Amino acid sequence: MPLESFSALDFETATWSPASVCQVGIVRMENGEIVEKINRLIQPPKNEYFYKNIEVHGIQPDDTKDAPLFEEVWFDFRHLIEDQIVVAHNANFDVNCLRSSLAYYDIVQPDFEVRCTRVIYRRGLAYLSKKYKIPLNHHDAFSDAHACAQLYLMHLRRQALPKTGSLF
């Protein structure tokens, strides 16, 4: 039985604003295999950063001063989001970043379905990556998206296993 296709997504932000995306990571999975990867730095609005965000992910204004704006890269990965299953760890955050960035640049909001590995596993990404021996450079958007993809794939495979037990 083929596994569902999905796009694992993660954003890092430059400030407290969800529209201040400074990195996007996406891993596209089809039938259990990685078929596409996106790892892009993005210049947040006015290239402004809050020092606490820099402490979390290490991305600084110099890193994104020549990077494209969200509105310039959206069309490079829109096909991985629009009408797709989008998986994220703490999906509320990442979906809010996506929707806020699209609204900031006045881009039409796409339809997509959301799955959250934090809801499925009820634990943090660092803990789960360590437990399941998934490589992780935490708070690097691509690494986080890759780890999330592996976790969701494990979930799908567990769901596909035949149920054991007797009917009587």
Side-chain angles (χ1 to χ4, degrees):
M1 179 164 128
L3 297 171
E4 73 182 2
S5 298
F6 64 91
S7 297
L9 170 71
D10 189 79
F11 288 111
E12 298 299 326
T13 58
T15 70
W16 55 267
S17 169
S20 71
V21 167
C22 61
Q23 185 188 22
V24 61
I26 304 174
V27 175
R28 177 69 182 171
M29 302 291 291
E30 293 181 6
N31 199 26
E33 300 294 325
I34 296 173
V35 296
E36 193 167 349
K37 302 174 188 178
I38 302 282
N39 183 11
R40 299 284 303 267
L41 289 175
I42 297 171
Q43 186 182 125
K46 300 177 188 166
N47 206 34
E48 291 179 344
Y49 281 76
F50 182 57
Y51 76 97
K52 289 284 189 189
N53 294 61
I54 293 171
E55 287 175 1
V56 169
H57 52 57
I59 302 168
Q60 302 186 41
D62 278 352
D63 299 324
T64 56
K65 70 181 190 304
D66 297 321
L69 301 173
F70 182 89
E71 67 181 339
E72 297 170 299
V73 299
W74 164 243
F75 298 99
D76 294 342
F77 65 83
R78 178 179 71 181
H79 67 286
L80 300 173
I81 306 297
E82 194 168 37
D83 298 322
Q84 302 298 321
I85 294 171
V86 175
V87 181
H89 199 81
N90 192 12
N92 286 340
F93 174 82
D94 295 291
V95 169
N96 190 26
C97 289
L98 176 61
R99 294 204 183 282
S100 296
S101 295
L102 291 167
Y104 182 88
Y105 291 103
D106 199 27
I107 300 170
V108 174
Q109 300 280 334
D111 290 326
F112 55 92
E113 293 182 41
V114 178
R115 309 281 190 275
C116 182
T117 51
R118 184 167 182 89
V119 169
I120 292 167
Y121 288 93
R122 296 187 171 100
R123 295 304 291 256
L125 189 59
Y127 171 85
L128 293 166
S129 294
K130 185 174 182 180
K131 178 178 179 177
Y132 295 111
K133 297 177 176 49
I134 298 169
L136 179 67
N137 178 12
H138 203 18
H139 299 297
D140 171 84
F142 179 75
S143 183
D144 289 358
H146 184 267
C148 178
Q150 297 309 307
L151 289 168
Y152 192 66
L153 190 57
M154 287 171 38
H155 168 73
L156 290 177
R157 288 182 172 143
R158 278 199 312 255
Q159 297 295 341
L161 290 175
K163 307 295 182 216
T164 58
S166 171
L167 296 176
F168 302 99

